[in-house]
């Protein structure tokens, strides 16, 4: 099983690196990210430029590959 590393930048000037399977959903990725942050997973939004990623869509469908940088925002 291949894993990819996704880097999430959030506005406090910090980065979170998470390894995840590309066949899993954005919601699963959010749960791994907040495990390092201590925030509820449903209170964050993942974006790339102006595109907001939906929780039920798979990482591969959004063309998120190894080393992709995502932006993390709070709702």
């Amino acid at each position: 099983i291949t894993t990819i590393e996704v880097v999430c930048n959030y506005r406090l000037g910090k980065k979170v690196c998470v390894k995840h399977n590309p066949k899993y959903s954005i919601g699963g990725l959010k749960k791994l990210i907040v495990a390092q942050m201590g925030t509820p997973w449903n209170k964050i939004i993942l974006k790339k430029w102006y595109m907001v990623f939906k929780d039920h869509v798979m990482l591969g469908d959004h063309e998120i590959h190894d080393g992709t940088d995502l932006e993390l925002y709070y709702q």
Side-chain angles (χ1 to χ4, degrees):
I1 298 174
T2 57
T3 59
I4 60 172
E5 184 174 66
V6 178
V7 179
C8 296
N9 298 317
Y10 59 101
R11 293 296 170 205
L12 299 175
K14 295 185 180 181
K15 291 184 179 183
V16 177
C17 296
V18 178
K19 292 191 182 219
H20 200 46
N21 188 329
K23 295 182 181 177
Y24 292 149
S25 67
I26 295 290
L29 177 64
K30 283 180 167 183
K31 291 176 184 175
L32 289 175
I33 292 169
V34 299
Q36 295 182 29
M37 296 173 47
T39 306
W41 73 272
N42 56 352
K43 297 292 183 187
I44 64 170
I45 299 171
L46 294 178
K47 291 174 92 175
K48 177 121 179 147
W49 293 89
Y50 294 104
M51 182 174 188
V52 177
F53 298 121
K54 302 292 181 188
D55 291 343
H56 65 281
V57 181
M58 304 300 148
L59 295 177
D61 293 340
H62 278 304
E63 297 183 3
I64 297 175
H65 304 293
D66 191 30
T68 301
D69 289 329
L70 299 177
E71 301 163 12
L72 187 143
Y73 296 94
Y74 295 99
Q75 285 183 339

